Amino acid sequence: ERLARELRELPRRRRKKGGSGSTTRTAATAARPDFAALGARLLPGALTGLAAGWIAGRLPFYPAGWPLGLAAVVDYRDKTPLTSAGSWLGVAWWKAATVDASPTSFMRVVTDARHFVSLPNADHVLALRAIVSTRVGNTDTPTPFYLQPTLGGSEILRGFGSYRLRDDAVWTATAEYRWHVQRWVDVAPFVDVGAVAGRFGALHDVRPAVTPG
């Protein structure tokens, strides 16, 4: 009788110790959204934007006005930030208008497309990216330099310094091969290409800059 009782208690002891005994997890608990984690990701960006707007509104050369923007994102990546497969597409439209003595407005459309291919597994990934940004609508008034898109820096057209190229219309594309050698070592050769122009229709007349790295 004592041996039979010990045998019945054995599976319970194994589960308490983290053994191979079977456990059950309710679907409601597993699917519960983590609102705290979502807020922790969105709050820093929101606070940064509010702080930047407050500071810009007090700069003597920054005109008084209002901004408005809309954006849509389609995300089919397998994971972030170390994506190994899938696609990502973002389209944004924004408008900025001044309310000073000579009111003007500026509208812009930005498209950002990314695609990732495993070659043939997650340790070898081909990352492709293309960005097009152009001013639309009335272009009679010049765009303030701080509202123009730029190329250069650590993410796009990396062979140039930050904000090196700027104008009302820009395009850039990147092809990058990412090789995860081991836990602390990655190799990522790339080729960036891009150009800027005063309007979208003139981009094809500009010789693009090519920066490998």
Side-chain angles (χ1 to χ4, degrees), residues 76-79 81-88 113-129 174-180 187 189:
Y76 285 102
R77 294 175 295 176
D78 59 346
K79 57 183 178 179
L82 301 178
T83 304
S84 60
S87 301
W88 186 97
R114 311 176 191 183
H115 186 62
F116 304 87
V117 181
S118 297
L119 303 172
N121 52 51
D123 290 335
H124 302 268
V125 178
L126 176 63
L128 306 174
R129 185 182 184 185
T174 296
E176 181 174 301
Y177 169 64
R178 301 173 180 175
W179 176 24
H180 181 64
V187 178

Side-chain angles (χ1 to χ4, degrees), residues 4-213:
R5 187 168 58 252
E6 290 289 334
L7 291 175
R8 288 195 299 269
E9 291 291 331
L10 182 59
R12 299 180 183 177
R13 296 175 184 173
R14 295 176 63 184
R15 286 197 293 270
K16 291 180 180 179
K17 294 180 180 180
S20 59
S22 60
T23 58
T24 303
R25 179 181 298 176
T26 60
T29 302
R32 185 179 301 165
D34 191 349
F35 292 106
L38 180 60
R41 294 177 58 186
L42 297 180
L43 185 59
L47 294 178
T48 301
L50 290 175
W54 183 84
I55 294 173
R58 280 150 179 78
L59 294 177
F61 60 83
Y62 198 91
W66 54 267
L68 174 65
L70 298 173
V73 172
V74 178
D75 192 352
Y76 285 102
R77 294 175 295 176
D78 59 346
K79 57 183 178 179
T80 57
L82 301 178
T83 304
S84 60
S87 301
W88 186 97
L89 175 64
V91 179
W93 169 89
W94 63 264
K95 178 178 181 179
T98 62
V99 292
D100 51 13
S102 56
T104 55
S105 63
F106 314 91
M107 289 191 297
R108 177 166 302 281
V109 174
V110 183
T111 302
D112 188 342
R114 311 176 191 183
H115 186 62
F116 304 87
V117 181
S118 297
L119 303 172
N121 52 51
D123 290 335
H124 302 268
V125 178
L126 176 63
L128 306 174
R129 185 182 184 185
I131 300 175
V132 177
S133 176
T134 182
R135 181 176 172 179
V136 296
N138 183 10
T139 59
D140 294 337
T141 57
T143 305
F145 73 93
Y146 47 82
L147 293 181
Q148 290 180 327
T150 63
L151 298 181
S154 61
E155 294 187 2
I156 53 178
L157 207 61
R158 287 165 279 188
F160 291 88
S162 299
Y163 317 114
R164 177 64 180 82
L165 305 177
R166 68 173 67 237
D167 215 324
D168 282 344
V170 307
W171 73 268
T172 182
T174 296
E176 181 174 301
Y177 169 64
R178 301 173 180 175
W179 176 24
H180 181 64
V181 181
Q182 57 178 350
R183 182 177 181 181
W184 304 108
V185 179
D186 285 337
V187 178
F190 64 86
V191 175
D192 292 347
V193 59
V196 302
R199 55 186 179 84
F200 180 76
L203 283 173
H204 68 277
D205 296 327
V206 179
R207 181 178 180 180
V210 180
T211 60

